[in-house]
Structure formats: structure tokens, C-alpha cells
């Protein structure tokens, strides 16, 4: 039985904030949605009809980021008032304040075990906190401008951070060392997150692009140019097969990572779409925007498909926690078997066999507000696989030509990256020479 991808549908929408919504997260049990806003409030919305929403007041300035703990019993919020708060999402609205940052706190994220928090701030630092002891642990300090986002890896051993210095940094939590930096974005990096497998990261940028890297090889895997304005946020589907993005162009876009192409463009927000997040099960996602609306969408991906992927992930990671190497699947086999898409080992989806894709902008027909248009040029991966070659070109030749085109894309992108790095090196060298000349001049003046 083939997998079917249906159009996502708008299930519900909420309005209660008095300013732009900055962040959204869904409770693991899907009973509640948390949102932060420029109006300084944290709100928790109940999915059940006729149930009241909670408005939590405590921050003295805009709430920039919110997240439920893995258990769903706590909500963390980060604010422009330079603090982080932990809330119990109930009627009482009790909270604990964390203070250590000296600038706006733009991001907050729980580790998968719920024991730690990582925060990112305009004070150019990333900080790690103990949740239950409610205290600051340590800082990571190599960014040279505002840090907009920081996330734990699924296993909690790594941290990824990104910001206005246009870099993405990978940190070892135990040693506190920066183990790699990526410099490929042309604008500030607004959001970054780990793939559910922990082997890749995706980043959104003010240069209107989304990029995916393999952190084992530090290679750029995919480069998407599907938005026409700043990309504000992104979220991986828990299967690891899809990525959703939110942009100032007012759209949400769902990307098929296995095929390396755009699946859907969603129109709903009137103005910039500022944040988006999948539920833990992947059957829903929520978005927020400058129109002060929270929208809850039903994913409508084939349920059996991603439930099987999630089960296979759990089976793989339970086998002594060992990484089974040598089980990489080819792109064609990933297309052919919708049931086996995803995880065959604890590494999760192996992007290293997928050619880097440069997805160009697509024209999508305009629809009425809150409608969800499907990009008619895109069907499900399985249905694409089953379509016969009706243009007279043999399948083997078409596959070879497709591979050659992809390899040319890789070469083109590699050259562009090398040029960028060469420019950075030249700038650093020029800066060093200028500093040396200044020091020499100061020494002469002092004599």
C-alpha cells in the first residue's frame, strides 16, 4: 500500500496576544500550546474547545522564546528583560527567575532529559543552566555578535548556536570547546536546530535561505532558496523526512528532505510568519505571526508512514546505543520504499548519500487567506517513483543525467563556499596587518 501525502489543513486558530508572536511550542501530550509575544506575555492555550487560555505575566519586556519541558510539566521563557523564567502551566502561574545574562535572551531550549537549559543572548554568550537546582552552570563565549538561537542535540552531548556574526557553532557540552564553525550564510542566522538523528543541522537566515549540513563531515548537504524574505524559524518533522519553515514573506513551506524539494506552500498569516513548530508526534504543527494569530495545522502526512519511522528509530537506538555503520541507503532506495524512509540505525536518516540540492524559487498560485494551496508540481515521493518514463528518455539515462546535474550543483556550491572562505581569510589577514601597523605606530609614539 503506497504512502499518501495530503494537503495540511488549518484546524484551529487563536488570538489573544496584543503584539507580534515570537515563539510557539506544543505540549508533548498535545493538550496545550505555549506562545511568547512582544506584548511581554506568555500564553498557554488549551486545545479542547471551551477551555480558557492562561495568560502569564511576569516578564518586564518582550518574550522572545518559549518551550515546554519534555514531560510537559514546565514551560521555559526567554525575554528582552534579560531573564529566563520557568513556569508551571496552571491557573496559579508560578514561576522561577534565572538571571545571568546582561542582554536580551533570544532563545531557550531544554535538553532531552529535561535536566538542563541552554540560552542564547545579545550579550554574545550561550549559557547552560541546571533546571532542578535552578542555577547557572557555565557560558560559551566565542560568538562576536548577538546570539539568536541555541539548541541541544538529541543526545544532549552537543550544542549548536547561531547569530548575527553569520556563523553557526557546534559545541561539546562536556569539554565546552567549539568543535566546528560554519560560515556559509550571507546574513545573520535567525534559527538553527538539530535533525532528530543528531547527525545534521538546519539553519534559517536573513539571506532568505535554509541550509542543511552533515556535522560528521561538516559538509553542506542541501541549500534551499524557496522564500523571498528573511526566514525566521524552522522545525524538523520527528521522522526526519520533512522540514517546515516560516518567513517574513508571510508563508510557511514544507520541504521534502529526502527528495530535496519544496512540497507545500501554506498561506494563512497576514504579514510575516515569525515562528513554527511540529508537535512531538508530528501529526500537528503550530505557527505564529505578526498578525498576532496562532494557527494550528493538521499535518495529514500518512500516519502509518511516520509512525513506522518513529518505531524504527526507537528500535535502532535501543540496541546498545551502538551506531551501525555501513547501512547507508541510496537515494533511489529511499524513494522506492515509503515504509523504510528514515532510520535503519541509530544514526537516523543518512543525508550523506543525498546530493546537495539547490531548490529554486517556485511560483505558487495565490489563494484566499487561511487556505492551504498544494504546490501542484509536487506529489508524494512514492507517487513520483511510480510514474513511468513517458518522455521517451530511458530511465537509466534519466537517472544518470540527474546524478550528473546534482554533482555539478555540488561543485558549484563548493566553489562558492571556497570563495567565501577565501574572502574571510583575506579580511582576517588585512585586519591582522592593520592591527600590527597600529601597534607599531603606538610603540613609536610612546618612545
Amino acid at each position: 500500500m503506497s504512502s499518501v501525502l495530503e494537503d495540511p489543513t488549518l484546524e484551529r486558530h487563536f488570538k489573544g496576544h496584543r503584539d507580534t508572536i515570537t515563539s510557539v511550542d506544543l505540549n508533548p501530550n498535545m493538550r496545550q500550546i505555549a506562545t511568547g509575544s512582544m506584548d511581554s506575555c506568555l500564553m498557554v492555550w488549551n486545545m479542547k474547545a471551551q477551555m480558557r487560555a492562561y495568560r502569564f505575566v511576569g516578564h518586564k519586556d518582550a518574550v522572545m522564546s518559549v518551550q515546554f519541558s519534555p514531560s510537559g510539566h514546565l514551560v521555559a521563557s526567554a525575554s528582552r528583560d534579560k531573564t529566563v523564567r520557568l513556569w508551571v502551566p496552571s491557573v496559579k502561574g508560578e514561576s522561577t527567575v534565572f538571571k545571568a545574562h546582561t542582554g536580551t535572551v533570544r532563545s531557550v531550549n531544554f535538553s532531552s532529559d529535561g535536566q538542563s537549559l541552554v540560552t542564547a543572548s545579545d550579550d554574545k554568550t550561550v549559557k547552560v543552566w541546571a533546571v532542578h537546582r535552578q542555577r547557572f552552570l557555565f557560558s560559551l563565549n566565542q560568538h562576536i555578535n548577538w546570539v539568536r538561537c541555541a539548541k541541544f542535540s538529541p543526545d544532549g552531548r552537543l550544542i549548536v548556536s547561531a547569530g548575527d556574526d553569520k556563523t553557526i557553532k557546534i559545541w561539546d557540552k562536556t569539554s565546552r570547546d567549539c568543535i566546528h564553525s560554519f560560515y556559509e550564510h550571507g546574513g545573520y542566522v535567525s534559527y538553527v536546530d538539530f535533525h532528530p538523528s543528531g547527525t545534521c543541522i538546519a539553519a534559517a537566515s536573513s539571506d532568505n535561505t535554509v541550509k542543511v549540513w552533515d556535522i560528521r563531515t561538516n559538509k553542506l548537504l542541501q541549500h534551499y532558496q524557496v522564500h523571498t524574505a528573511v526566514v525566521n524559524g524552522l522545525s524538523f518533522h520527528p521522522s526526519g523526512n520533512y522540514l517546515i519553515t516560516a518567513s517574513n514573506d508571510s508563508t510557511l513551506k514544507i520541504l521534502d528532505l529526502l527528495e530535496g524539494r519544496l512540497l507545500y506552500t501554506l498561506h494563512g498569516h497576514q504579514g510575516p510568519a515569525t515562528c513554527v513548530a511540529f508537535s512531538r508526534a508530528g501529526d500537528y504543527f503550530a505557527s505564529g505571526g505578526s498578525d498576532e494569530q496562532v494557527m494550528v495545522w493538521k499535518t495529514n502526512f500518512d500516519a502509518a508512514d511516520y509512525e513506522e519511522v518513529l518505531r524504527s528509530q526507537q528500535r535502532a537506538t535501543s540496541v546498545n546505543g551502538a551506531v551501525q555503520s555501513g547501512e547507508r541507503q541510496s537515494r533511489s532506495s529511499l524513494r522506492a520504499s515509503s515504509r523504510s524512509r528514515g532510520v535503519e540505525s541509530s544514526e537516523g536518516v543518512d543525508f550523506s548519500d543525498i546530493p546537495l540540492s539547490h531548490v529554486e524559487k517556485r511560483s505558487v498560485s495565490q489563494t484566499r487567506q487561511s487556505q492551504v494551496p498544494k504546490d501542484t508540481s509536487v506529489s508524494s515521493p512514492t507517487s513520483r517513483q511510480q510514474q513511468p518514463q513517458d518522455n521517451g528518455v530511458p530511465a537509466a539515462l534519466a537517472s544518470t543525467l540527474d546524478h550528473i546535474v546534482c554533482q555539478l550543483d555540488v561543485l558549484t556550491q563548493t566553489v562558492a563556499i571556497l570563495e567565501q572562505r577565501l574572502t574571510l581569510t583575506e579580511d582576517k589577514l588585512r585586519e591582522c596587518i592593520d592591527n600590527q601597523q597600529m601597534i607599531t605606530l603606538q610603540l613609536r609614539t610612546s618612545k
Side-chain angles (χ1 to χ4, degrees):
M1 184 176 176
S2 63
S3 171
V4 177
L5 288 177
E6 298 180 7
D7 292 12
T9 52
L10 182 62
E11 290 281 296
R12 297 190 65 183
H13 62 90
F14 305 97
K15 193 161 184 178
H17 283 293
R18 301 183 182 94
D19 206 336
T20 298
I21 294 167
T22 56
S23 181
V24 63
D25 193 37
L26 296 92
N27 190 300
N29 56 31
M30 257 312 291
R31 289 199 298 263
Q32 295 175 316
I33 297 172
T35 55
S37 169
M38 298 297 286
D39 65 8
S40 307
C41 292
L42 163 72
M43 292 193 72
V44 175
W45 313 81
N46 288 289
M47 287 295 289
K48 291 183 180 179
Q50 282 81 47
M51 289 195 68
R52 296 176 60 188
Y54 300 134
R55 182 190 300 274
F56 298 117
V57 178
H59 284 296
K60 302 296 189 292
D61 208 333
V63 178
M64 308 302 292
S65 177
V66 297
Q67 192 189 31
F68 280 104
S69 63
S71 68
H73 297 149
L74 296 172
V75 180
S77 60
S79 173
R80 204 156 58 184
D81 66 10
K82 307 176 187 178
T83 70
V84 176
R85 284 179 179 260
L86 275 182
W87 307 81
V88 178
S90 63
V91 178
K92 292 182 179 179
E94 300 168 340
S95 68
T96 303
V97 183
F98 290 57
K99 294 181 180 179
H101 283 293
T102 58
T104 296
V105 189
R106 292 188 177 270
S107 169
V108 63
N109 177 245
F110 280 97
S111 58
S112 58
D113 61 7
Q115 300 297 309
S116 302
L117 280 175
V118 62
T119 55
S121 171
D122 286 3
D123 63 13
K124 306 177 188 177
T125 70
V126 174
K127 295 187 187 297
V128 177
W129 314 73
V131 172
H132 297 298
R133 286 182 289 168
Q134 299 180 3
R135 70 185 188 90
F136 165 69
L137 295 178
F138 59 86
S139 287
L140 305 172
N141 299 303
Q142 290 190 25
H143 282 285
I144 58 173
N145 208 330
W146 294 356
V147 190
R148 290 184 177 262
C149 188
K151 300 276 188 176
F152 282 110
S153 61
D155 62 11
R157 292 185 296 179
L158 300 176
I159 294 170
V160 63
S161 62
D164 282 27
D165 58 7
K166 304 180 184 178
T167 71
I168 300 164
K169 297 184 182 295
I170 307 291
W171 310 81
D172 184 297
K173 183 191 172 190
T174 302
S175 68
R176 307 179 191 179
D177 292 331
C178 178
I179 57 180
H180 191 74
S181 295
F182 299 96
Y183 299 94
E184 283 81 4
H185 275 294
Y188 68 78
V189 184
S190 51
Y191 201 92
V192 67
D193 202 1
F194 280 95
H195 184 271
S197 69
T199 61
C200 302
I201 58 169
S205 173
S206 64
D207 62 10
N208 306 351
T209 69
V210 174
K211 297 184 180 183
V212 181
W213 287 270
D214 186 324
I215 63 171
R216 298 164 296 180
T217 61
N218 299 326
K219 297 287 180 62
L220 180 64
L221 296 179
Q222 296 181 329
H223 176 198
Y224 295 93
Q225 288 183 302
V226 293
H227 285 290
T228 57
V230 174
V231 188
N232 295 308
L234 54 80
S235 180
F236 281 104
H237 188 271
S239 70
N241 294 350
Y242 308 100
L243 184 71
I244 189 166
T245 59
S247 169
N248 277 0
D249 63 13
S250 81
T251 67
L252 308 175
K253 292 183 185 282
I254 298 178
L255 307 171
D256 182 339
L257 296 175
L258 299 185
E259 293 287 311
R261 61 192 297 176
L262 176 66
L263 273 182
Y264 301 104
T265 295
L266 310 182
H267 299 263
H269 288 285
Q270 297 176 337
T274 52
C275 51
V276 67
F278 274 113
S279 64
R280 303 301 196 272
D283 47 352
Y284 289 89
F285 59 92
S287 61
S290 63
D291 56 5
E292 304 169 13
Q293 290 196 87
V294 182
M295 296 187 175
V296 182
W297 310 74
K298 187 168 176 56
T299 306
N300 290 334
F301 295 163
D302 180 27
D305 184 18
Y306 64 73
E307 284 176 3
E308 176 58 29
V309 170
L310 295 177
R311 282 197 294 272
S312 66
Q313 282 180 339
Q314 292 167 358
R315 286 197 298 270
T317 53
S318 64
V319 182
N320 300 324
V323 175
Q324 302 171 11
S325 59
E327 294 189 8
R328 295 178 179 175
Q329 296 179 324
S330 68
R331 177 174 176 154
S332 59
S333 66
L334 284 168
R335 286 179 181 172
S337 176
S338 64
R339 287 294 181 270
S340 65
R341 280 184 289 159
V343 181
E344 294 298 328
S345 71
S346 60
E347 287 189 343
V349 179
D350 193 338
F351 283 93
S352 59
D353 288 328
I354 304 174
L356 179 144
S357 301
H358 190 132
V359 182
E360 300 295 340
K361 303 169 186 174
R362 298 174 182 270
S363 59
V364 181
S365 60
Q366 297 299 314
T367 61
R368 289 183 298 119
Q369 191 65 26
S370 298
Q371 286 185 329
V372 185
K374 180 175 179 179
D375 187 334
T376 55
S377 65
V378 182
S379 57
S380 73
T382 305
S383 63
R384 282 193 293 271
Q385 171 68 16
Q386 293 172 344
Q387 289 175 353
Q389 291 286 341
D390 56 2
N391 57 4
V393 181
L397 178 57
S399 177
T400 302
L401 291 172
D402 182 56
H403 180 71
I404 291 171
V405 170
C406 289
Q407 293 302 311
L408 288 172
D409 279 344
V410 173
L411 289 172
T412 302
Q413 194 64 33
T414 302
V415 170
I417 292 168
L418 289 173
E419 288 176 348
Q420 290 176 0
R421 288 181 174 173
L422 181 59
T423 302
L424 285 170
T425 303
E426 289 173 346
D427 290 343
K428 289 286 185 184
L429 182 58
R430 190 177 297 109
E431 184 180 339
C432 289
I433 293 172
D434 291 342
N435 288 339
Q436 185 63 41
Q437 290 175 343
M438 188 177 297
I439 291 170
T440 303
L441 183 60
Q442 288 173 348
L443 288 173
R444 288 176 179 172
T445 304
S446 62
K447 290 179 180 179

